[in-house]
Amino acid sequence: MSHSPLANLQKRFFAWGMARANTGTRSVKLDACHTHDNLGELKQTLFGRVHGTVLEIGPGAGANFAHFPPDIRWIGIEPNPHMHGYLKEEADRRGFGAIALYEGGAERIPLDDASVDCVVGTHVFCSVDDPQQSLREIWRVLKPGGELIFLEHVAAESGSWNRQVQDAVAPIWKRVFDNCHPNRETETALRTAGFEIAEGLNFRLKFPIIAPHAAGVAKKAGVGCGV
């Protein structure tokens, strides 16, 4: 897909900013969370459990490499090509061997059916073009009993002041922040797709527009994908 010079510049700047933020995000404090003090601790708990072949959707500049076990086979699919160099540098710095990295979105994953043990998504379902198609593809590539590990900012409670703000700023927000939608109901979408949220956690960050967060493990249970 071709982009205008301005869009390319924006994506390049976004990639640079993500790379600079790789270390700082680990100490982000969590509110209304009784199990973890900061984002780094939560990521360590979530991602320390991955095993085998792991597909990361929208890995950005590679912030999660710090929390993955070193013996996994890591595959990434990242739509912003300006992120790729930072990703490879971070993988090398963290001692990961050969990684497989594809340019594209979660709507079309270039992997075989039932070929992945775990899928990881961090602040990514807010920005995919088609959440339902993305979940269909994730369901397809996951092995039976496989896990989707997610950490997302989500829509606030319907009718709340926070939700009204999210809905109001959504059109401009997604243009400024690389297609990020602040008001997506990701947990509902996961359940509709047929995933069972076996381990879920809700917490907040201090910034109100993306304050509500959901994290956890969604298992590929049952048959078929309901979306």
Side-chain angles (χ1 to χ4, degrees):
M1 178 189 298
S2 62
H3 298 282
S4 69
L6 180 59
N8 271 316
L9 180 62
Q10 183 183 29
K11 287 181 177 296
R12 187 183 294 275
F13 179 76
F14 191 71
W16 176 86
M18 290 282 284
R20 300 286 77 74
N22 267 358
T23 55
T25 56
R26 294 170 202 149
S27 59
V28 173
K29 296 293 184 181
L30 308 183
D31 289 339
C33 182
H34 304 295
T35 56
H36 298 84
D37 290 330
N38 59 64
L39 196 58
E41 289 181 6
L42 175 56
K43 283 188 173 186
Q44 195 63 48
T45 299
L46 287 172
F47 305 147
R49 65 185 287 154
V50 301
H51 61 279
T53 299
V54 177
L55 169 65
E56 186 168 5
I57 303 293
N64 291 335
F65 280 122
H67 307 286
F68 289 142
D71 58 346
I72 63 171
R73 179 191 174 216
W74 186 91
I75 304 171
I77 181 164
E78 169 56 53
N80 185 344
H82 302 297
M83 296 283 190
H84 289 202
Y86 296 117
L87 267 168
K88 292 172 182 175
E89 288 177 5
E90 187 67 8
D92 287 342
R93 193 168 76 86
R94 293 290 174 181
F96 286 81
I99 63 171
L101 180 58
Y102 299 94
E103 182 179 346
E107 293 82 3
R108 295 184 65 184
I109 299 174
L111 299 177
D112 293 336
D113 295 356
S115 60
V116 171
D117 295 290
C118 302
V119 174
V120 171
T122 306
H123 295 137
V124 67
F125 290 106
C126 62
S127 59
V128 295
D129 290 331
D130 188 335
Q132 293 184 342
Q133 175 60 21
S134 298
L135 289 172
R136 278 193 288 268
E137 279 289 271
I138 290 170
W139 182 281
R140 179 184 66 79
V141 302
L142 269 176
K143 295 177 181 178
E147 296 179 339
L148 167 57
I149 301 176
F150 65 94
L151 194 163
E152 300 286 330
H153 66 81
V154 295
E157 183 179 356
S158 180
S160 66
W161 173 84
N162 196 354
R163 180 61 178 271
Q164 292 178 47
V165 172
Q166 288 178 329
D167 292 342
V169 304
I172 186 64
W173 188 270
K174 65 182 181 181
R175 293 179 66 88
V176 174
F177 294 105
D178 210 22
N179 203 43
C180 172
H181 295 66
N183 55 351
R184 281 190 170 163
E185 299 179 355
T186 299
E187 288 176 291
T188 299
L190 286 168
R191 293 188 177 96
T192 301
F195 287 96
E196 175 189 343
I197 301 180
E199 302 172 38
L201 174 69
N202 296 101
F203 60 94
R204 300 180 65 84
L205 299 184
K206 293 187 181 297
F207 193 64
I209 294 176
I210 57 169
H213 268 66
V217 179
K219 292 184 177 292
K220 181 179 178 178
V223 294
C225 185
V227 295

